[in-house]
Amino acid sequence: MNNFGIQTSSDNRTPADSCTRQKLIGCFFLALLAITFLRPIDSSEFWWHAARGAVVLNGNICPSRVLLVNETANDADWLAGLVPIVIWELGGHWGVSIYPAVVFLICLAIFFFQTQCRRLDVVVGFGILLSLFTFAWMQPIPQSVELVLVIVLFNFLTKYSAESDVSMNSLFVLLLCWANFGAHILLAYTLANVFVLFAHKPWKEKLRFIFFMTLAVSLTPRGILTVWDSLHSVSPWLFSGDERMLLSQWPIGEFPSILFQITFLILALTPVCLGLWRSISTRDYVACLLLISVSLMNPELIGISVAWIGLTLCDSYRDHTTQTSNLVIAMSLVCLYGFHIANQTPLGVIGLDPRLDQRLLQDGLPKLIESEVAWCDSTHAGGLYCYTSGTGRCWDIPIRAQICGRLPDIDLFRRDLLRNRESRYRRPDGTWGGWWVTAEDRGIEILLIDAEETDIHESLQLTEWKPTDLDSSVIPYVKASNVAHQPELIQCLQAQDIVSFTDWSFDFQQFSSTQPYIAFSRANADKLSKSAALRQARLFNSLGLHVASLKVLLALRNVFDPAEFELDVRLCHRELALREWSEAGVNSLFHQWIGRDEPLTDFKSSSDGMFFDDDFESDYLTGKLATCLQRPATTAQEYFALAMISIEAGNVTQAIRFWQTAIITDTDDRSIDRLSKHWLTLFEAESES
């Protein structure tokens, strides 16, 4: 009887109740997907487009010609900068953080209301694909506008193929907006042509559509060359015979991960198989193959390609039963969760990635002189400088150089910097090289180098160019002989003395609290802060501030797994050993022991009777400096090691005492006597004879 009652209760459920429950579940999943877009903005193009937008708001329709000295062409996508500048100026950190989630919901709303599919399970499936692949395209940059427009374009072209009477006015306006907002108009133009050519329409009407589409994409300040410029953005490999040059222009940390590319390849197999099984039309099959091909050659396009492929799959998938849809959605959600965990997506943190923090550059930015020109090695560096300075101009920038075919010139200048080829020399192709002479000819007085470019920083240490800042994500360099920039250089030298020759220590918690984001997840926020602090440590090391680098690494070892930083610690000690050798003619056993690449064959005999053993090395590498300092020292080498550990621990007074003791402990060891006196001189302390 009870069982019969339970069955009756189930049968009394009305279809309206079931529909309402499904809608609530669907909305809940959509809210969860929207939350996956609440993470730090990390696009290297953000500040460049913001600077362009500021110029447009000032009444100029050719922003790149205002910001770049070497620019002669007009911008086709001259309205692209309005998105980041408006969002940033009106909303600040909260505005740029919420923007991707808002764009995500707009995309789903367009998909839901403009298509004939009103099933929430299919909408959730499309949202899962967007969450997996399109965050880079939903940030407050012009690509977000292109992503919204591609969904509108798909809906229009689908209706055009299915209905006999469709006005071309909507398509004309859509392509016109896209051409003036985005650099990838060629994709929209090509996809539209594919749909038109496969449509069952008279050829006269097809040619008329193609003509008006060509006219729409040409109504920009660039004119008929808009599509040609877009070809450089979509297919940069067509215009470069050197693959290494293309890879060198990818922003550090932004090249798609292996996991991301493998996941895309798995998704790409779906429309390929459906096309072979004739489950989708030939038109859709050709469009998907086209997008997959260009995305494999240019991974930057994966986001927009996935949006189109997702629309195609959802269009062919909407006739499946609800039970099958729910099973697929459940499996997709599990895959989505696993992907974000494996990819270490910083969920629960909103704001800017530490690399985009413009506040630090403002403090160390050289005084702007109207005639001076800056050279930047990345779009991020040039954009941050142009926006922060307000009136500063760069010689060129990779994103515009790629569009206009000037990328080899930037890459050759960068290679000369890496090799420190200052003087003029003849290249194999007959052109002249030499970055110093080139900079003089172009009036370049400021070099803007990303903090991650440690090789370039090390190369510049051997030149007259010196940094004016130590902690920004972009380091400005000026000539030491430039009198106009003497105040900034002196201030930077004083900062170098503070981090190297005082009791200064790196406080990770304070450092984390000053980052340009708001953290709801402490663990993910610490991961971002760890990356920023590690970048700072490597920057210090490349600038020759090895002791300061060790202080930062000590703080990281005390908070995170010390094994992550072992290679950086050893590198610092190798650099200290080389510096001691070049300045004093000898180096200590301590730096040799910690900084070794491989076991030292002659170290055991030299260290007999000393505390240099595996336990000492383990204590030091794990950051247990207090344990190391408690070891009893009996030789000059041991006292010197304790002095260097004291410096790293932020105790200059104790270090000076250990050096003085090392000098009088073993008078026969002239190497330690010389080294100790050398370090005492650096710290302006006297030795005790």
Side-chain angles (χ1 to χ4, degrees):
M1 190 70 177
N2 291 337
N3 292 337
F4 180 78
I6 294 174
Q7 183 68 34
T8 303
S9 175
S10 178
D11 290 340
N12 286 337
R13 186 185 307 163
T14 64
D17 295 335
S18 178
C19 182
T20 301
R21 184 171 60 87
Q22 290 182 359
K23 288 182 179 180
L24 290 176
I25 294 176
C27 292
F28 173 74
F29 283 137
L30 291 179
L32 289 180
L33 292 175
I35 292 176
T36 64
F37 288 91
L38 297 178
R39 35 180 149 153
I41 303 302
D42 59 1
S43 174
S44 63
E45 300 178 10
F46 176 76
W47 290 118
W48 166 245
H49 291 304
R52 294 173 67 206
V55 173
V56 172
L57 291 179
N58 287 331
N60 198 307
I61 66 170
C62 301
S64 294
R65 296 181 65 176
V66 175
L67 299 173
L68 304 177
V69 176
N70 196 37
E71 184 62 81
T72 57
N74 295 335
D75 300 77
D77 57 335
W78 64 287
L79 295 176
L82 294 181
V83 174
I85 190 64
V86 171
I87 298 299
W88 174 254
E89 293 295 336
L90 295 181
H93 289 81
W94 282 99
V96 298
S97 301
I98 298 174
Y99 182 83
V102 173
V103 174
F104 169 73
L105 295 177
I106 291 175
C107 290
L108 295 185
I110 295 174
F111 172 70
F112 183 78
F113 290 108
Q114 285 200 358
T115 62
Q116 297 177 358
C117 176
R118 295 298 180 89
R119 288 173 49 179
L120 272 176
D121 55 342
V122 179
V123 177
V124 172
F126 181 59
I128 291 174
L129 293 179
L130 295 182
S131 177
L132 282 171
F133 296 100
T134 62
F135 177 73
W137 281 70
M138 289 195 180
Q139 301 184 49
I141 51 178
Q143 285 89 326
S144 61
V145 178
E146 294 183 278
L147 193 63
V148 173
L149 293 179
V150 78
I151 299 176
V152 179
L153 178 66
F154 179 87
N155 295 332
F156 176 85
L157 294 177
T158 303
K159 290 181 180 179
Y160 171 78
S161 301
E163 301 176 8
S164 58
D165 185 19
V166 177
S167 173
M168 69 177 66
N169 295 336
S170 300
L171 180 62
F172 183 89
V173 173
L174 188 150
L175 293 179
L176 176 64
C177 293
W178 193 324
N180 287 273
F181 266 98
H184 305 94
I185 183 60
L186 179 62
L187 289 178
Y189 182 72
T190 304
L191 291 171
N193 276 283
V194 169
F195 270 69
V196 169
L197 292 176
F198 276 95
H200 298 291
K201 309 283 184 179
W203 272 102
K204 183 177 180 181
E205 181 179 343
K206 292 181 180 180
L207 293 177
R208 186 162 57 92
F209 259 78
I210 294 175
F211 170 76
F212 277 100
M213 286 191 297
T214 306
L215 178 62
V217 301
S218 301
L219 293 179
T220 69
R222 187 65 168 148
I224 194 65
L225 295 177
T226 300
V227 176
W228 177 251
D229 288 353
S230 182
L231 181 62
H232 285 77
S233 297
V234 172
S235 306
W237 69 88
L238 294 176
F239 305 94
S240 174
D242 190 348
E243 183 179 353
R244 292 176 302 174
M245 183 186 72
L246 290 175
L247 292 177
S248 69
Q249 297 303 329
W250 270 92
I252 295 176
E254 291 193 20
F255 194 83
S257 64
I258 299 297
L259 175 63
F260 186 83
Q261 297 185 66
I262 292 177
T263 308
F264 172 71
L265 289 176
I266 295 174
L267 173 66
L269 290 176
T270 304
V272 171
C273 295
L274 291 177
L276 294 177
W277 295 334
R278 298 186 181 277
S279 297
I280 60 176
S281 64
T282 305
R283 173 203 68 197
D284 293 331
Y285 187 52
V286 171
C288 289
L289 286 181
L290 175 66
L291 290 173
I292 292 171
S293 301
V294 296
S295 298
L296 291 177
M297 297 300 294
N298 184 8
E300 180 185 346
L301 302 177
I302 287 179
I304 195 170
S305 299
V306 166
W308 187 277
I309 293 172
L311 291 168
T312 303
L313 295 179
C314 290
D315 186 57
S316 62
Y317 180 70
R318 63 187 180 187
D319 294 331
H320 287 71
T321 62
T322 304
Q323 290 78 5
T324 304
S325 301
N326 291 337
L327 178 61
V328 174
I329 295 301
M331 294 175 60
S332 301
L333 286 172
V334 173
C335 294
L336 174 68
Y337 178 78
F339 174 84
H340 285 305
I341 293 297
N343 205 40
Q344 297 183 349
T345 304
L347 302 176
V349 183
I350 60 175
L352 298 177
D353 186 275
R355 288 187 68 249
L356 301 186
D357 192 354
Q358 83 286 5
R359 300 169 301 175
L360 298 176
L361 182 61
Q362 290 175 343
D363 298 334
L365 198 63
K367 178 183 177 181
L368 294 180
I369 300 176
E370 185 176 355
S371 60
E372 289 185 345
V373 178
W375 181 88
C376 58
D377 72 329
S378 68
T379 301
H380 165 61
L384 191 57
Y385 172 76
C386 290
Y387 179 83
T388 305
S389 63
T391 57
R393 304 184 71 194
C394 293
W395 173 258
D396 210 341
I397 199 167
I399 189 173
R400 284 297 301 174
Q402 176 178 297
I403 292 175
C404 299
R406 303 188 300 266
L407 200 56
D409 179 69
I410 291 181
D411 188 67
L412 291 173
F413 190 94
R414 187 176 183 275
R415 291 183 183 182
D416 286 343
L417 273 178
L418 282 171
R419 302 169 184 170
N420 197 20
R421 300 290 296 270
E422 295 185 3
S423 57
R424 288 177 70 86
Y425 69 95
R426 179 76 73 172
R427 297 192 182 103
D429 61 357
T431 60
W432 287 98
W435 71 268
W436 184 288
V437 179
T438 303
E440 287 287 339
D441 294 341
R442 296 174 178 177
I444 296 174
E445 295 290 339
I446 302 174
L447 299 178
L448 303 167
I449 311 298
D450 277 325
E452 295 91 343
E453 296 285 0
T454 54
D455 291 339
I456 297 182
H457 291 299
E458 291 177 359
S459 179
L460 287 174
Q461 299 311 302
L462 306 175
T463 70
E464 184 192 2
W465 295 75
K466 303 301 176 185
T468 63
D469 194 17
L470 297 179
D471 57 357
S472 174
S473 61
V474 174
I475 304 300
Y477 282 82
V478 297
K479 294 179 183 177
S481 59
N482 192 331
V483 179
H485 298 308
Q486 292 298 315
E488 294 92 342
L489 290 172
I490 294 174
Q491 183 179 1
C492 185
L493 289 173
Q494 292 172 344
Q496 294 181 33
D497 288 342
I498 291 174
V499 298
S500 298
F501 302 122
T502 68
D503 291 337
W504 174 83
S505 60
F506 184 82
D507 188 337
F508 179 80
Q509 298 302 328
Q510 180 182 2
F511 176 80
S512 181
S513 64
T514 59
Q515 296 305 307
Y517 51 69
I518 301 172
F520 299 99
S521 171
R522 190 72 262 166
N524 286 332
D526 285 345
K527 290 178 183 178
L528 290 173
S529 298
K530 179 182 71 173
S531 300
L534 185 58
R535 182 189 69 222
Q536 183 65 66
R538 291 171 176 171
L539 173 63
F540 277 155
N541 194 46
S542 64
L543 294 177
L545 307 175
H546 313 301
V547 173
S549 179
L550 286 172
K551 292 180 179 180
V552 179
L553 292 171
L554 173 63
L556 290 173
R557 281 179 285 165
N558 289 331
V559 178
F560 302 99
D561 182 10
E564 298 182 48
F565 315 103
E566 180 178 337
L567 294 178
D568 291 282
V569 173
R570 293 189 184 278
L571 177 60
C572 287
H573 281 276
R574 284 198 294 272
E575 295 294 338
L576 279 171
L578 291 173
R579 182 171 178 176
E580 288 176 345
W581 184 266
S582 63
E583 295 179 356
V586 291
N587 51 39
S588 67
L589 290 177
F590 174 61
H591 293 316
Q592 293 181 52
W593 175 246
I594 301 298
R596 69 190 192 280
D597 283 318
E598 55 187 20
L600 300 174
T601 56
D602 59 343
F603 185 84
K604 184 174 179 57
S605 59
S606 303
S607 60
D608 286 341
M610 302 184 191
F611 57 48
F612 297 111
D613 54 23
D614 293 340
D615 291 337
F616 171 78
E617 181 183 23
S618 176
D619 289 339
Y620 176 78
L621 291 176
T622 55
K624 300 176 182 178
L625 301 193
T627 304
C628 295
L629 290 172
Q630 291 175 358
R631 292 207 171 208
T634 57
T635 66
Q637 290 281 1
E638 291 174 328
Y639 278 114
F640 183 87
L642 294 179
M644 297 306 302
I645 294 175
S646 298
I647 286 295
E648 187 175 344
N651 193 335
V652 174
T653 303
Q654 186 180 37
I656 292 175
R657 187 166 61 250
F658 279 131
W659 279 321
Q660 292 172 343
T661 307
I663 293 174
I664 63 177
T665 297
D666 191 352
T667 56
D668 295 332
D669 192 343
R670 305 306 303 170
S671 62
I672 288 298
D673 179 80
R674 189 188 311 172
L675 275 177
S676 298
K677 290 180 179 178
H678 171 70
W679 279 96
L680 287 171
T681 302
L682 292 177
F683 281 82
E684 299 180 352
E686 297 182 357
S687 60
E688 294 182 358
S689 301

